[in-house]
Amino acid sequence: MEPRTVDRRVLGREVVLVLALSLGASGVSALISFIGSVTRSRPLAQQTAPLVTDYAPGRPWLGLAWQLFSIGTALVPVVLVAHLLARSGESLRNTLGFSLDHKTRDLGRGAVVAAAIGGSGLCLYLAARAAGFNLTVVPSTLSGVWWRIPVLVASAIQNAVVEEAIVLGYLVHRLTQLGWSTRRTVAASSLLRGSYHLYQGLGGFAGNVVMGVVFCYLYRRWGRVMPLVVAHALIDTVAFVGSVILTGHVSWLPNR
């Protein structure tokens, strides 16, 4: 199906609504959370920002149900984006490169990006926390449940799919259609990515803005969002699962 021309006002309203239902709302929530953190009496480094938490401590099956519900509902905006693209004669696969058509190449590129971004991001986090600009990020507070590792991996994949499909692929594509310059488009996508990580502190904000700039460049260069989905999923998987393995064994991770 050939892409159809859509009125720019309609596209503009569409973008606003998609973001209001997904990561734009998360950005506002993160800002409110950050304001709450900086106005507390305790320093930021002595406060924690948990990422994957147990919704029903002591009730593993109920907790699993909540985790699966949370992951499933978080993916709904991606389905909405797929629907909206289809209405204009486009698709996640052909328009954004969100597909398994080039598995080996996407995996290789994603692994290289994950190694570079993940390593530098960890250094920035540790520096920002030491300087008092960041909360202590706790990737997981799950403990003693048999489904902990599978849920952490699923959460990592969900984060990657939602963020890269919407903030990278969809937003960059739509802003380009709206006539935005490359510089404005990259700035908008990167600042949005930083905004919904602000609950972690200024280090989380700055690190993700830089990550957003790099991801936008690579997305434009490769024309596919999938390698960046792979990279993001690998980064989060290592962070989530690594916290389970290393907590209590290394001094720079919180010992819950």
Side-chain angles (χ1 to χ4, degrees), residues 47-60 63 67 136-149 151-152 155 199 239-245 247 253-256:
Q47 301 178 46
T48 59
L51 303 186
V52 181
T53 59
D54 193 344
Y55 298 114
R59 306 180 68 183
Q67 294 293 339
T136 297
V137 177
V138 182
S140 169
T141 61
L142 302 176
S143 61
V145 287
W146 59 267
W147 43 260
R148 175 170 55 175
I149 299 299
V151 162
L152 290 175
S155 296
Y199 68 93
F240 291 166
V241 177
S243 72
V244 172
I245 298 172
T247 295
L253 279 179
N255 188 3
R256 298 179 302 280

Side-chain angles (χ1 to χ4, degrees), residues 116-186:
I117 295 291
S120 57
L122 176 60
C123 292
L124 177 61
Y125 160 69
L126 293 175
R129 181 170 174 265
F133 296 142
N134 222 75
L135 286 77
T136 297
V137 177
V138 182
S140 169
T141 61
L142 302 176
S143 61
V145 287
W146 59 267
W147 43 260
R148 175 170 55 175
I149 299 299
V151 162
L152 290 175
V153 173
S155 296
I157 295 172
Q158 170 245 293
N159 288 343
V161 170
V162 173
E163 293 187 38
E164 306 316 328
I166 295 177
V167 174
L168 185 60
Y170 169 78
L171 185 60
V172 168
H173 177 62
R174 283 299 194 230
L175 293 182
T176 300
Q177 288 180 311
L178 288 169
W180 285 42
S181 67
T182 298
R183 183 174 297 179
R184 288 182 64 201
T185 298
V186 171

Side-chain angles (χ1 to χ4, degrees), residues 16-50:
V16 170
L17 288 172
V18 168
L19 295 182
L21 291 170
S22 58
L23 295 168
S26 297
V28 176
S29 173
L31 174 61
I32 296 171
S33 177
F34 178 67
I35 292 172
S37 296
V38 297
T39 53
R40 290 183 184 137
S41 57
R42 297 173 63 193
L44 287 180
Q46 294 181 15
Q47 301 178 46
T48 59

